[in-house]
């Protein structure tokens, strides 16, 4: 299978961008990453970059095999990268970030996330897989206290239960079994500044109208940009098509 990629990042309505993304191909294996530095912690942009760089370095050392164990190792390297930055810069000792990662060997894919940056998997034009946030509203939805649709604009949406860079270590959610790729599959990795304003229905509608991952991202970004938002969050997304 051939996998094509497009990326998008913007400061949105903020003065600077705390998001970071990465993509690397080595020997037929590929990885994609999106990280969102937490705005409530000083050094969010440093944390997101350190996490992405740590993951990419680990992936470069051993891009195969495609396994949950390999993905865990790369995530631990991302966490170690943030911790190293905290030690080197005491003024950034509380910096944190989210992280969502996708791996593929060209035949199958695995993914994992920490925090509320998301991965969506589409098959036959329909949403087939989606990560669940490590957040207070997601926990409330899982407990039946609020409907899942209320997560997007819940007052506690920014209260995360897991992150990269915390003193208690990381607790990633890793897909247990590989997703065997089929032609026409599509993946979207994105920060909360993106999915908060682009619904899953909108993602599927724009996917149906898009011949390339860049067109898919452009169509969704157009929707976001025409909402007339003021001071909205940074947003970053990576789109991957399986040909």
């Amino acid at each position: 299978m051939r996998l094509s990629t497009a990326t998008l990042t913007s400061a949105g309505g903020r003065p600077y961008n705390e998001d970071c993304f990465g993509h690397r191909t080595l020997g037929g294996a590929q990885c994609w990453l999106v990280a969102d530095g937490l705005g409530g912690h000083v050094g969010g942009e440093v944390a997101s970059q350190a996490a992405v760089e740590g993951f990419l370095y680990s992936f470069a050392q051993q891009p195969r095999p495609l396994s949950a164990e390999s993905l865990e190792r790369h995530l631990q390297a991302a966490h170690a990268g943030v911790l190293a930055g905290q030690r080197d810069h005491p003024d950034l000792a509380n910096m944190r970030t989210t992280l969502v990662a996708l791996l593929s060997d060209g035949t199958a894919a695995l993914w994992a996330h920490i925090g509320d940056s998301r991965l969506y998997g589409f098959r036959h034009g329909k949403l087939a897989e989606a990560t669940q946030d490590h957040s207070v509203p997601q926990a409330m939805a899982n407990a039946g206290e609020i409907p899942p649709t209320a997560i997007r604009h819940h007052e506690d949406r920014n209260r995360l239960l897991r992150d990269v860079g915390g003193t208690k270590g990381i607790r990633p959610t890793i897909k247990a079994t590989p997703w065997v790729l089929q032609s026409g599959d599509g993946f979207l990795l994105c920060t909360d500044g993106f999915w908060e304003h682009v619904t899953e229905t909108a993602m599927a509608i724009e996917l149906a109208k898009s011949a390339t991952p860049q067109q898919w991202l452009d169509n969704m970004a157009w929707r976001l940009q025409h909402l007339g938002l003021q001071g909205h969050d940074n947003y970053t997304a990576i789109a991957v098509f399986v040909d």
Side-chain angles (χ1 to χ4, degrees):
M1 295 287 184
R2 187 175 70 87
L3 286 77
S4 52
T5 303
T7 60
L8 166 73
T9 191
S10 172
R14 303 288 174 82
Y16 51 87
N17 193 345
E18 294 185 303
D19 292 351
C20 188
F21 67 88
H23 171 226
R24 182 162 295 176
T25 302
L26 287 170
Q30 294 191 65
C31 70
W32 301 262
L33 308 164
V34 166
D36 179 1
L38 303 186
H41 300 268
V42 176
E45 70 280 8
V46 180
S48 61
Q49 183 175 352
V52 168
E53 290 177 351
F55 190 104
L56 290 176
Y57 179 81
S58 178
F59 176 78
Q61 303 310 300
Q62 191 174 350
R64 293 175 181 268
L66 179 71
S67 66
E69 292 76 18
S70 294
L71 189 44
E72 170 78 28
R73 183 174 62 255
H74 303 330
L75 292 169
Q76 290 293 345
H79 181 57
V82 177
L83 295 182
Q86 293 171 353
R87 292 191 299 270
D88 294 341
H89 305 281
D91 56 322
L92 303 180
N94 292 320
M95 66 180 182
R96 305 283 191 274
T97 185
T98 70
L99 185 65
V100 59
L102 173 66
L103 294 181
S104 178
D105 60 3
T107 300
L110 278 177
W111 54 83
H113 76 289
I114 305 162
D116 64 353
S117 290
R118 294 182 176 181
L119 179 142
Y120 295 96
F122 291 83
R123 174 158 289 173
H124 305 307
K126 298 181 180 179
L127 182 64
E129 293 272 359
T131 56
Q132 290 196 350
D133 305 333
H134 300 134
S135 69
V136 169
Q138 182 71 67
M140 295 172 67
N142 292 346
E145 298 176 14
I146 61 172
T149 54
I151 293 174
R152 265 187 170 83
H153 303 293
H154 195 276
E155 60 182 2
D156 291 326
R157 190 181 57 74
N158 292 324
R159 291 180 58 193
L160 299 186
L161 303 177
R162 306 182 194 181
D163 56 38
V164 180
T167 57
K168 296 181 179 179
I170 56 172
R171 293 177 293 150
T173 297
I174 301 176
K175 182 170 174 56
T177 57
W179 163 301
V180 179
L181 299 175
Q182 293 183 13
S183 182
D185 287 351
F187 297 99
L188 179 68
L189 293 77
C190 56
T191 60
D192 64 335
F194 191 89
W195 62 254
E196 180 181 2
H197 303 293
V198 182
T199 66
E200 291 81 2
T201 299
M203 294 173 190
I205 289 173
E206 299 304 341
L207 176 61
K209 299 190 293 184
S210 303
T212 66
Q214 188 63 62
Q215 186 178 10
W216 189 25
L217 285 187
D218 290 345
N219 290 345
M220 291 186 289
W222 186 92
R223 283 177 174 257
L224 191 156
Q225 292 160 2
H226 283 74
L227 291 174
L229 302 172
Q230 297 294 324
H232 61 287
D233 197 3
N234 314 146
Y235 57 90
T236 297
I238 296 180
V240 181
F241 275 15
V242 181
D243 301 324

